[in-house]
Protein backbone atom coordinates (compact mmCIF):
# COMPACT_ATOMS: atom_id res chain seq x y z
CA UNK A 1 0.00 0.00 0.00
CA UNK A 2 1.42 3.38 -0.99
CA UNK A 3 0.87 6.70 0.63
CA UNK A 4 0.70 9.84 -1.49
CA UNK A 5 0.49 13.53 -0.78
CA UNK A 6 0.70 16.73 -2.74
CA UNK A 7 3.41 19.13 -1.58
CA UNK A 8 3.45 22.88 -2.02
CA UNK A 9 6.29 25.33 -1.81
CA UNK A 10 8.67 27.01 -4.21
CA UNK A 11 7.41 26.56 -7.77
CA UNK A 12 4.98 23.77 -6.74
CA UNK A 13 1.45 23.94 -5.41
CA UNK A 14 -2.07 25.21 -6.02
CA UNK A 15 -2.27 28.13 -8.39
CA UNK A 16 1.22 27.44 -9.77
CA UNK A 17 2.22 25.85 -13.07
CA UNK A 18 3.66 22.66 -11.50
CA UNK A 19 2.42 20.11 -8.96
CA UNK A 20 4.68 17.96 -6.74
CA UNK A 21 3.25 14.60 -5.67
CA UNK A 22 5.14 12.40 -3.20
CA UNK A 23 4.46 8.63 -3.35
CA UNK A 24 6.01 6.42 -0.66
CA UNK A 25 5.23 3.27 1.37
CA UNK A 26 6.43 4.92 4.61
CA UNK A 27 5.41 8.58 5.09
CA UNK A 28 7.48 8.97 8.27
CA UNK A 29 10.91 7.78 7.08
CA UNK A 30 10.55 8.49 3.31
CA UNK A 31 12.97 5.71 2.29
CA UNK A 32 15.19 6.83 -0.59
CA UNK A 33 14.86 3.54 -2.52
CA UNK A 34 11.05 3.47 -2.65
CA UNK A 35 9.99 7.13 -2.46
CA UNK A 36 9.12 8.87 -5.71
CA UNK A 37 8.72 12.60 -6.27
CA UNK A 38 6.49 13.21 -9.27
CA UNK A 39 6.36 16.62 -10.94
CA UNK A 40 3.47 17.25 -13.31
CA UNK A 41 1.63 20.08 -14.97
CA UNK A 42 -1.77 18.35 -14.93
CA UNK A 43 -4.61 20.39 -13.43
CA UNK A 44 -5.87 19.53 -10.00
CA UNK A 45 -9.41 20.82 -10.49
CA UNK A 46 -11.60 22.53 -13.06
CA UNK A 47 -11.13 25.83 -11.23
CA UNK A 48 -7.35 25.71 -11.68
CA UNK A 49 -6.51 27.65 -14.83
CA UNK A 50 -2.94 28.69 -14.08
CA UNK A 51 -0.61 29.21 -17.06
CA UNK A 52 1.56 26.32 -18.22
CA UNK A 53 -0.95 23.60 -17.37
CA UNK A 54 -1.78 20.83 -19.81
CA UNK A 55 -5.23 21.46 -21.37
CA UNK A 56 -6.75 18.09 -20.43
CA UNK A 57 -9.25 16.98 -17.85
CA UNK A 58 -8.14 17.43 -14.22
CA UNK A 59 -6.16 14.61 -12.60
CA UNK A 60 -6.18 13.66 -8.93
CA UNK A 61 -2.90 12.72 -7.28
CA UNK A 62 -3.85 9.03 -7.53
CA UNK A 63 -4.30 9.29 -11.31
CA UNK A 64 -0.93 11.02 -11.68
CA UNK A 65 0.77 8.32 -9.58
CA UNK A 66 -0.81 5.55 -11.68
CA UNK A 67 0.25 7.24 -14.94
CA UNK A 68 3.84 7.56 -13.77
CA UNK A 69 3.83 3.94 -12.54
CA UNK A 70 3.21 2.79 -16.13
CA UNK A 71 6.04 4.84 -17.58
CA UNK A 72 8.97 2.36 -17.08
CA UNK A 73 7.09 -0.48 -18.79
CA UNK A 74 6.16 1.74 -21.73
CA UNK A 75 9.75 2.96 -22.13
CA UNK A 76 11.10 -0.61 -21.93
CA UNK A 77 8.63 -1.82 -24.57
CA UNK A 78 9.53 1.11 -26.84
CA UNK A 79 13.26 0.32 -26.50
CA UNK A 80 12.65 -3.33 -27.39
CA UNK A 81 10.49 -2.47 -30.41
CA UNK A 82 13.00 0.13 -31.57
CA UNK A 83 15.85 -2.40 -31.33
CA UNK A 84 13.85 -5.25 -32.92
CA UNK A 85 12.66 -3.19 -35.88
CA UNK A 86 16.03 -1.58 -36.53
CA UNK A 87 14.99 2.00 -35.74
CA UNK A 88 18.30 2.49 -33.91
CA UNK A 89 20.16 2.22 -37.22
CA UNK A 90 18.18 4.89 -39.05
CA UNK A 91 20.34 7.75 -40.36
CA UNK A 92 17.44 10.01 -41.42
CA UNK A 93 18.01 13.73 -40.96
CA UNK A 94 14.56 15.18 -41.59
CA UNK A 95 11.24 14.44 -39.95
CA UNK A 96 9.71 13.29 -43.24
CA UNK A 97 12.60 10.91 -43.95
CA UNK A 98 12.32 9.43 -40.46
CA UNK A 99 8.56 8.89 -40.87
CA UNK A 100 9.07 7.22 -44.25
CA UNK A 101 11.74 4.93 -42.79
CA UNK A 102 9.47 3.94 -39.88
CA UNK A 103 6.57 3.26 -42.27
CA UNK A 104 8.73 1.04 -44.46
CA UNK A 105 10.16 -0.85 -41.48
CA UNK A 106 6.68 -1.43 -40.02
CA UNK A 107 5.35 -2.56 -43.40
CA UNK A 108 8.27 -4.97 -43.83
CA UNK A 109 7.78 -6.32 -40.32
CA UNK A 110 4.03 -6.86 -40.93
CA UNK A 111 4.75 -8.55 -44.26
CA UNK A 112 7.32 -10.90 -42.71
CA UNK A 113 5.10 -11.63 -39.76
CA UNK A 114 2.15 -12.40 -42.02
Amino acid sequence: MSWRAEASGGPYGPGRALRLIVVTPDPVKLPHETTEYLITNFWESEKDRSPGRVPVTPAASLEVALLYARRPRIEQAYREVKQHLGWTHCQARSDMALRRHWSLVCAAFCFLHW
Side-chain angles (χ1 to χ4, degrees):
M1 184 88 182
S2 290
W3 175 87
R4 69 187 180 289
E6 194 154 343
S8 62
Y12 311 111
R16 298 205 170 99
L18 298 173
R19 293 169 61 193
L20 174 64
I21 299 170
V22 181
V23 180
T24 183
D26 185 3
V28 176
K29 295 180 182 176
L30 294 175
H32 179 68
E33 301 83 25
T34 55
T35 301
E36 293 188 45
Y37 301 91
L38 310 175
I39 298 172
T40 185
N41 58 351
F42 285 131
W43 295 343
E44 184 177 5
S45 68
E46 282 291 338
K47 298 175 188 174
D48 183 9
R49 296 292 180 196
S50 55
R53 295 289 175 127
V54 176
V56 295
T57 57
S61 60
L62 176 61
E63 291 176 277
V64 173
L66 292 174
L67 282 172
Y68 278 84
R70 293 183 187 133
R71 183 178 175 183
R73 284 180 280 172
I74 292 170
E75 288 179 355
Q76 178 64 30
Y78 179 73
R79 275 194 298 271
E80 289 176 8
V81 166
K82 194 169 133 179
Q83 182 68 33
H84 187 69
L85 295 179
W87 290 351
T88 56
H89 305 294
C90 179
Q91 296 294 320
R93 301 287 183 235
S94 70
D95 181 57
M96 184 57 75
L98 188 62
R99 289 174 191 244
R100 285 180 184 148
H101 175 76
W102 285 3
S103 296
L104 289 172
V105 167
C106 287
F109 179 77
C110 290
F111 178 74
L112 291 174
H113 184 70
W114 176 58

